[in-house]
Amino acid sequence: MNNFKNKIMSPRERLLEEIRKRIPIEPDSEDGNSTPKSSISTSFEMTSQVESCTGLTNETHSTWKYIVIVLSTVISLLCLGLLVWSTLYIAGWPKSTPISKSTFWNSEVGYWVDVFAFKDSNGDLVGDLNGFLSEVDYIKGVIGSGFVILGPITKGFYSNSHNMIGLVDDYEKLDEAVGTMDDFRHVLKQFHEKDLKVVLTFDFNSVSINHKWIKENRVKPKVFENSLRNQISRYGKPLSVDIRGQKYYSVFGSPSVDLDLTDIDTQNAIFDVIHYWMREGIDGILLDNAAYFVEQEEQHETQKKVLSCPQREEIYTQGNVKFVEKVREGIDKWMKIRGRKVLLGVNAGDTWCDLTGRPDPMLIFREVADVIIIREFLPNRGCKENFPTTKNLTCKYHSYQDAYKQKLGLTVSTSSFPSRKDVLSLAASLLLPGIPIIYYGTELGMTSFNKGRRPEQLYPKGKSYNNEGLFDYGSILSHQPMPWDTSGQRFSKAINDSSFKNYVEKNIKSEVVENVVDRKCEQTVYYLVQRLINLRQNPTFKSGTMEELSSFKDYEKHYYGVFVRRAAGFPTFVIVLLRYTPPNFVLDFRYICSSVTVRLAYPSIPNLPANNLLRCPEIHLVNSTLSNQIIVLQCN
């Protein structure tokens, strides 16, 4: 019976029964019976405690169960978020990556090209992207360049309703003559596969009055409101750009109009363009006509004539620098996200004037730009006042700080200044500290003269450059077809007459690529450029210092420059550039080198063969009648 009773007892009853059994019995109670030490109330207290503990246990269990559920949910969400983030990361989500300190522009030679003038692939006698791509091996393998600068290729530059080149109808579309965006992407991919960087040129100073920004009233054109009647453009033209009844300012005159680059909406529109092309994968931007970005009203109030050269120095304002600084900030943010270097360069544009002994005012951009195209070695723009000259062309360059020199783009021609065959300037641009940039054709000694009738069926087909007249130093002369061969067949298969041959002989007086490559003649400019580019691979030329040797300045009539290039841990080089060689001229470098090895003598000198060791570094140029002499010696 007791066993049956135990079976039907509840857990609570069994617990109470067990407690009763364990309570001690007092034998000497008053009634003589054995009585539990605890009273009935004590039993109830214990019962209450048991019930209380049981309730607490159940409540605690429920709380922990809730906590476990919440934690499990949070952990599951975190795992899911991590999975999604990892997927996006692998798929190419923008990420911050450490940027290498080395830059392609400080270690390579640039090649500057007008694509429209380089090579035609479709028979319209105008160069295009596919033609440009077909000569990538020439640029990379033959010339040895590491990056290219493409002149403007956006819509309107060549194909427009006006008889001129240089306009912009849309910054985010290509000119129809140069090709399509698919063509551009293909060029970019092929150049990158050959480790060639691509830099695009943009002129944000002015746009065509047909530009969508003007039609949509998205940007603010430039206007001087206080004294419109006295305002002039760079070429002395009155303000006559009429847009919806309002007169606006233009450097070049109608049909282009200058933009107010201090206006926020205008800046944002420009930044959108820059981001668009960086998303396409370009490696840099060259801002052209930087001297005219932000012109001040007082610069144009006094007279209706072209500004004189001293006044033109005043156009280099801090407003120009502030605009480029904002572009710099945008590019820096982009680089931080993408983790790759993007070049920001500036070019003055055509300011007409030479430097005449003054430092190049383009140095105002030294803190905000990576590359500054300077005019030290341009014809009639550097220190020299006349061409040809016997003066030292580098009269200011050697005085610039070394940190500045590493930012200077050195070239003998730009899109605004046509080339002249000056091998000493060309050699200086490749041997002195800075960033050498070869403008297409100058590696052949291409010289553009305004002589003889130009074949109008060839690019630029009789068009002017931004309404500029045709004269000996006109900008249009910087946009002539590349002389690949005498017949012109390599420029365009559509040429079937003698027009290109006449152009080569009368207008540019240049060697042609096929002749100099096949002949491998040591006396050609092409051979000189190749040798100089090979020499520049030495770290001394890439990052070393420059010292001008003053002991040779007594020969100012013949002098061009004698320099020493040094770099810690690398060979020292001596560079000799002579316009004319004096009779019985002696070059004594015993106080610099114990012995020397001849690395280059151009034109060749019988007693100075290449790679010849001279144990006594004293060179006698006896009865030499050579001009434009270039000698490079390596100290041992």
Side-chain angles (χ1 to χ4, degrees), residues 94 222 229 245 293 434 549 557 567 584:
K222 187 68 176 177
R229 289 185 302 172
F293 279 163
L549 299 182
K557 181 179 179 181
N584 301 318

Side-chain angles (χ1 to χ4, degrees), residues 50-266:
V50 172
E51 292 176 336
S52 176
C53 289
T54 304
L56 180 61
T57 302
N58 292 336
E59 183 179 347
T60 303
H61 177 73
S62 299
T63 302
W64 277 106
K65 183 177 180 181
Y66 175 78
I67 292 173
V68 169
I69 293 173
V70 172
L71 287 175
S72 299
T73 303
V74 171
I75 292 172
S76 298
L77 290 174
L78 287 174
C79 291
L80 180 61
L82 182 61
L83 178 62
V84 172
W85 182 86
S86 301
T87 303
L88 291 174
Y89 185 93
I90 295 172
W93 187 270
K95 47 192 176 290
S96 179
T97 306
I99 300 175
S100 172
K101 292 183 179 180
S102 62
T103 59
F104 64 84
W105 56 89
N106 285 123
S107 58
E108 302 288 350
V109 175
Y111 194 70
W112 195 347
V113 178
D114 176 2
V115 178
F116 297 93
F118 203 60
K119 188 170 182 177
D120 167 36
S121 70
N122 59 11
D124 64 356
L125 301 178
V126 176
D128 49 52
L129 287 168
N130 288 327
F132 174 63
L133 177 59
S134 69
E135 297 295 348
V136 61
D137 289 334
Y138 172 80
I139 297 171
K140 177 68 176 180
V142 179
I143 298 300
S145 295
F147 67 97
V148 293
I149 300 175
L150 306 189
I153 56 175
T154 52
K155 183 179 179 181
F157 182 83
Y158 174 78
S159 304
N160 56 65
S161 57
H162 307 277
N163 191 35
M164 59 187 294
I165 65 173
L167 294 177
V168 182
D169 288 338
D170 193 328
Y171 285 111
E172 295 182 1
K173 294 182 180 179
L174 295 180
D175 191 290
E176 61 187 47
V178 84
T180 66
M181 281 303 299
D182 285 339
D183 294 333
F184 177 80
R185 293 178 185 120
H186 184 56
V187 166
L188 199 61
K189 179 181 178 182
Q190 294 299 312
F191 271 61
H192 284 170
E193 287 181 356
K194 291 184 177 291
D195 199 25
L196 271 166
K197 306 298 184 182
V198 178
V199 178
L200 288 190
T201 301
F202 293 95
D203 178 6
F204 292 121
N205 182 70
S206 60
V207 297
S208 165
I209 57 176
N210 297 321
H211 196 289
K212 65 178 183 180
W213 288 353
I214 302 300
K215 293 180 178 180
E216 298 170 2
N217 202 26
R218 185 181 173 188
V219 297
K220 182 181 179 182
K222 187 68 176 177
V223 58
F224 295 116
E225 298 178 354
N226 295 330
S227 52
L228 288 176
R229 289 185 302 172
N230 293 328
Q231 300 309 310
I232 60 170
S233 71
R234 175 171 56 169
Y235 297 111
K237 298 174 182 178
L239 290 184
S240 58
V241 183
D242 191 302
I243 301 175
R244 294 182 288 273
Q246 172 70 58
K247 299 290 186 180
Y248 291 98
Y249 174 78
S250 173
V251 167
F252 300 110
S254 185
S256 67
V257 61
D258 278 27
L259 299 178
D260 185 351
L261 299 185
T262 65
D263 176 67
I264 298 299
D265 291 337
T266 304

Side-chain angles (χ1 to χ4, degrees), residues 369-607:
D370 299 309
V371 178
I372 303 167
I373 306 296
I374 63 165
R375 296 165 290 172
E376 293 284 347
F377 308 112
L378 298 179
N380 273 12
R381 292 297 183 269
C383 181
K384 56 187 179 180
E385 298 175 355
N386 298 303
F387 182 86
T389 181
T390 57
K391 292 185 66 176
N392 173 19
L393 186 63
T394 60
C395 61
K396 299 180 309 305
Y397 184 82
H398 73 277
S399 66
Y400 295 157
Q401 295 182 25
D402 289 339
Y404 297 164
K405 291 174 185 174
Q406 297 304 319
K407 287 192 169 189
L408 302 183
L410 311 181
T411 185
V412 296
S413 182
T414 71
S415 57
S416 301
F417 296 106
S419 62
R420 293 290 186 268
K421 186 177 180 179
D422 185 355
V423 294
L424 295 185
S425 295
L426 184 60
S429 70
L430 288 163
L431 291 173
L432 298 184
I435 303 163
I437 299 172
I438 299 173
Y439 195 78
Y440 80 99
T442 58
E443 74 272 20
L444 303 169
M446 183 172 169
T447 301
S448 297
F449 288 103
N450 180 29
K451 294 181 179 179
R453 184 175 179 83
R454 296 177 179 276
E456 293 192 1
Q457 68 269 35
L458 298 176
Y459 175 82
K461 295 189 175 182
K463 293 188 175 186
S464 67
Y465 185 84
N466 281 321
N467 279 331
E468 181 186 75
L470 184 61
F471 51 93
D472 282 346
Y473 287 94
S475 298
I476 195 65
L477 301 182
S478 292
H479 302 269
Q480 304 301 314
M482 177 72 174
W484 295 105
D485 57 13
T486 304
S487 68
Q489 280 283 298
R490 188 167 167 180
F491 173 76
S492 175
K493 295 294 185 182
I495 297 176
N496 53 16
D497 56 21
S498 61
S499 59
F500 200 89
K501 180 180 179 181
N502 293 334
Y503 154 72
V504 170
E505 293 176 351
K506 295 180 180 179
N507 298 125
I508 62 174
K509 297 185 176 181
S510 169
E511 293 280 359
V512 296
V513 173
E514 287 192 355
N515 287 351
V516 295
V517 172
D518 292 341
R519 291 203 325 255
K520 297 182 179 179
C521 178
E522 295 186 3
Q523 306 307 313
T524 62
V525 177
Y526 167 81
Y527 172 82
L528 170 66
V529 169
Q530 280 196 316
R531 292 291 304 277
L532 293 176
I533 291 177
N534 288 335
L535 275 172
R536 194 172 179 85
Q537 299 309 308
N538 191 291
T540 302
F541 289 104
K542 287 187 176 182
S543 58
T545 60
M546 161 194 167
E547 176 190 353
E548 185 177 26
L549 299 182
S550 58
S551 57
F552 293 93
K553 286 189 175 181
D554 293 338
Y555 297 95
E556 184 173 344
K557 181 179 179 181
H558 312 278
Y559 179 73
Y560 189 96
V562 180
F563 313 96
V564 176
R565 296 295 311 272
R566 291 188 175 93
F570 297 100
T572 295
F573 288 85
V574 179
I575 302 166
V576 180
L577 305 174
L578 295 174
R579 181 68 69 188
Y580 302 103
T581 306
N584 301 318
F585 188 50
V586 178
L587 296 168
D588 188 355
F589 301 120
R590 287 177 294 179
Y591 63 100
I592 299 174
C593 314
S594 59
S595 65
V596 296
T597 299
V598 180
R599 292 305 181 197
L600 174 69
Y602 176 92
S604 60
I605 301 175
N607 62 328

